[in-house]
Amino acid sequence: MTSTGQEKTMDADLDFNGKTILVTGSGRNIGRAIISEFASRGANVVINARDTETDREEAEAVRAEAEKHGVGALVVLGNAADRATVERLRTESERAFTRVDMYVSNAMHRMYRESFFDTTDDDWNYYLNQQLTASWYLAKAFVPGMQDAGWGRIIHMNGPNAWTGSWAAIPIASGKAGLHALTKSLASGLSQYGITVNDVNPGYVDVVRDSGLDDSAGMRERAAQAMAIKRVISPEEIAWTCAYLCSPRSGAVTGTVIDVDGGRPAAH
């Protein structure tokens, strides 16, 4: 079947040749799927994971997979909640690719289930830093380059707890709520420079988890049944959403939330 002119235009809109994307927490799961999606569409990729032996091996596997598409791929290890790590992400990315055009703040956190009474100050600081402070550091590092270029895409991986709260995960819910406020605030000022800033809210995604908590007692099946689609979501479905948000067709979409939650009732 012959492609129509419209189909060719749509393909071109999702062609990221000559652009570079950074994804934190991209050694596995959602982050890995995003790297794979963008590499397959021609983007150079910057892969970030924690600096442990397992994380290092995973990140190198993602790099090898990306390079099969003929794109440049860089691995920078370290915690994105650490300012020094983010500075290394900036300097090494700019050395390899001149600038970062798009980034996804996706660094994952360990599972947490504690009530208010059992939540410590260390817990509070850890989760706010992982979600909110890390995204602030990324913005400070990479927005100036986007501003100079007159174009950029920022995506924050968020979640429904930002709107519903969570007695069993107060620091996480608070960090996510703050992250959405950061999204709205950045979007309000950066749109004039051709930079969009959005949240993506995944539902229950089929990922490898460090803790077995979410997989116990049929949690996976219960989560699937709570969604209209009656199945869990694939990491690739999150990655496709990110590709749209980074395309020219999404230029009027900023400061908002895209739910990829399988049809659960909206929390906002």
Side-chain angles (χ1 to χ4, degrees):
M1 188 169 91
T2 303
S3 295
T4 66
Q6 183 179 15
E7 287 170 339
K8 290 179 180 178
T9 300
M10 291 176 70
D11 287 343
D13 283 345
L14 290 171
D15 181 348
F16 297 109
N17 268 290
K19 295 196 181 299
T20 299
I21 186 168
L22 158 70
V23 184
T24 60
S26 48
R28 59 166 68 177
N29 299 331
I30 292 172
R32 181 173 188 158
I34 296 170
I35 290 288
S36 179
E37 176 70 17
F38 279 80
S40 74
R41 297 185 178 279
N44 298 318
V45 295
V46 182
I47 300 149
N48 164 251
R50 292 174 185 274
D51 193 3
T52 70
E53 183 176 354
T54 298
D55 291 319
R56 202 158 36 242
E57 291 173 355
E58 290 177 339
E60 289 298 336
V62 176
R63 169 159 55 184
E65 180 182 287
E67 288 176 339
K68 291 178 182 177
H69 296 286
V71 302
L74 172 69
V75 171
V76 181
L77 300 174
N79 186 346
D82 174 55
R83 184 184 285 278
T85 294
V86 175
E87 183 59 21
R88 282 194 299 109
L89 280 166
R90 184 188 65 79
T91 56
E92 294 187 30
S93 297
E94 290 178 355
R95 186 180 302 120
F97 306 120
T98 304
R99 70 170 176 270
V100 167
D101 304 284
M102 310 165 281
Y103 71 77
V104 182
S105 181
N106 171 68
M108 294 289 109
H109 49 73
R110 63 179 185 258
M111 295 306 301
Y112 184 78
R113 294 289 185 274
E114 297 289 350
S115 75
F116 164 78
F117 299 106
D118 295 320
T119 297
T120 67
D121 289 349
D122 286 343
D123 294 332
W124 174 262
N125 291 323
Y126 175 83
Y127 287 103
L128 260 67
N129 286 341
Q130 284 300 113
Q131 297 173 120
L132 183 55
T133 305
S135 297
W136 170 253
Y137 289 160
L138 288 168
K140 293 293 281 186
F142 293 106
V143 163
M146 295 179 181
Q147 181 185 17
D148 289 343
W151 192 92
R153 296 289 186 264
I154 298 170
I155 297 172
H156 295 146
M157 206 58 60
N158 209 317
N161 285 357
W163 289 269
T164 63
S166 173
W167 177 250
I170 291 174
I172 293 176
S174 300
K176 288 178 177 178
L179 183 58
H180 182 59
L182 178 62
T183 297
K184 298 287 286 186
S185 300
L186 291 175
S188 68
L190 295 180
S191 298
Q192 62 185 307
Y193 304 113
I195 304 169
T196 66
V197 191
N198 291 290
D199 284 349
V200 171
N201 277 5
Y204 192 93
V205 181
D206 191 13
V207 297
V208 176
R209 289 175 167 81
D210 291 328
S211 166
L213 181 62
D214 273 6
D215 296 319
S216 64
M219 177 64 186
R220 189 177 188 277
E221 181 59 26
R222 290 200 303 275
Q225 291 307 308
M227 293 185 278
I229 61 175
K230 303 303 179 189
R231 63 170 176 81
V232 295
I233 298 153
S234 74
E236 290 73 22
E237 288 172 303
I238 308 301
W240 299 334
T241 302
C242 291
Y244 163 70
L245 286 174
C246 288
S247 75
R249 291 186 174 235
S250 69
V253 181
T254 193
T256 193
V257 185
I258 305 295
D259 291 312
V260 190
D261 60 5
R264 295 184 68 176
H268 51 86

